[in-house]
Amino acid sequence: DFWERFYVSALPVLTLTLISIAHMMRMTRASIVNLLASPYIEMAKLKGIKPGRVIIKHALPNAWAPIIQVVLLNIAFMVVGVVIIEVVFVYPGLGALMVDS
């Protein structure tokens, strides 16, 4: 039944998701903060552009490369993390099949 599967898989999914999201948010913030000290960002601020628009239009497009790298690393982490999560939560799945193969 659906609710039983939801109940059983909620903690493993939440564990993998929270770890990945926390890492992505930290790296996104570090990338944006690093870019906010750039001269072109300061020039945009001096021109009177709103701070939200400066971040979205000027800083975020230049921060995409590190963010994408972190997303790809997190995908690799999830593949390995599934094995650990299945062992901790005693949940049979693809992780056990990867270890056995």
Side-chain angles (χ1 to χ4, degrees):
D1 137 88
F2 172 75
W3 292 109
E4 184 177 335
R5 284 184 182 238
F6 178 77
Y7 180 75
V8 169
S9 63
L11 275 177
V13 168
L14 196 63
T15 303
L16 282 173
T17 304
L18 289 179
I19 292 171
S20 298
I21 288 176
H23 187 234
M24 283 189 283
M25 288 175 65
R26 193 179 109 225
M27 295 306 289
T28 301
R29 182 188 179 279
S31 178
I32 294 290
V33 167
N34 188 24
L35 284 173
L36 288 179
S38 299
Y40 66 94
I41 298 291
E42 290 181 27
M43 181 59 74
K45 287 179 185 177
L46 290 173
K47 285 183 177 182
I49 300 175
K50 295 177 185 175
R53 187 168 172 95
V54 168
I55 290 173
I56 291 173
K57 292 288 185 177
H58 297 285
L60 196 57
N62 293 317
W64 277 121
I67 294 169
I68 290 172
Q69 289 177 353
V70 169
V71 168
L72 292 176
L73 281 172
N74 279 330
I75 290 172
F77 165 76
M78 283 188 190
V79 169
V80 174
V82 165
V83 176
I84 297 168
I85 294 296
E86 287 179 6
V87 169
V88 170
F89 289 105
V90 190
Y91 188 76
L94 292 176
L97 292 175
M98 286 193 299
V99 170
D100 291 341
S101 64

